[in-house]
């Protein structure tokens, strides 16, 4: 998967305060790229915009196929994002068609 590459690109979007990219199960490919986004305060961004933003900057198949938005990330005691929890309960998953 391409999580670090996608996170670097997505973090440059002005409407994204924080982001994490994880793999979610996919019947066809085994795993799909999924982005979890914390919106910047007062910002509005939708799943299609997330996908298009990434796809314009790297090859399209690396762009997230689905997106969820959360108000904050689950963190460990050391302040690291608990990506395992994002895979189990990634928030409201919204498909990003395109």
């Amino acid at each position: 998967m391409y999580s670090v590459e996608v996170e670097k690109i997505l973090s440059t979007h002005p409407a994204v305060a924080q982001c994490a990219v994880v793999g979610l199960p996919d019947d066809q490919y085994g795993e799909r790229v999924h982005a979890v986004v914390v919106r910047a305060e007062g910002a509005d961004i939708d799943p299609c915009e997330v996908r298009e933003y990434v796809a314009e900057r790297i090859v399209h198949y690396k762009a997230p196929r689905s997106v969820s938005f959360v108000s904050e990330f689950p963190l460990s005691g050391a302040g690291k994002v608990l990506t395992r929890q994002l895979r189990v309960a990634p928030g409201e998953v919204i498909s990003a068609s395109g």
Side-chain angles (χ1 to χ4, degrees):
M1 216 194 39
Y2 324 99
S3 59
V4 173
E5 187 177 7
V6 175
E7 287 171 358
K8 283 182 181 179
I9 291 168
L10 195 49
S11 68
T12 65
H13 193 291
V16 174
Q18 292 179 292
C19 63
V21 175
V22 297
L24 292 183
D26 183 83
D27 291 337
Q28 185 174 4
Y29 299 107
E31 188 175 70
R32 72 174 186 270
V33 180
H34 176 77
V36 183
V37 174
V38 176
R39 292 180 177 107
E41 190 173 329
D44 188 29
I45 184 173
D46 66 46
C48 291
E49 186 178 349
V50 169
R51 179 171 166 61
E52 289 169 10
Y53 187 81
V54 175
E56 288 171 358
R57 288 155 178 80
I58 58 175
V59 293
H60 73 281
Y61 65 83
K62 292 183 179 182
R65 291 193 32 222
S66 58
V67 178
S68 60
F69 297 96
V70 295
S71 58
E72 61 184 24
F73 286 128
L75 301 176
S76 71
K80 293 190 175 198
V81 176
L82 298 172
T83 55
R84 189 174 287 177
Q85 286 186 13
L86 294 177
R87 285 185 190 98
V88 175
E92 181 185 357
V93 177
I94 306 168
S95 292
S97 59

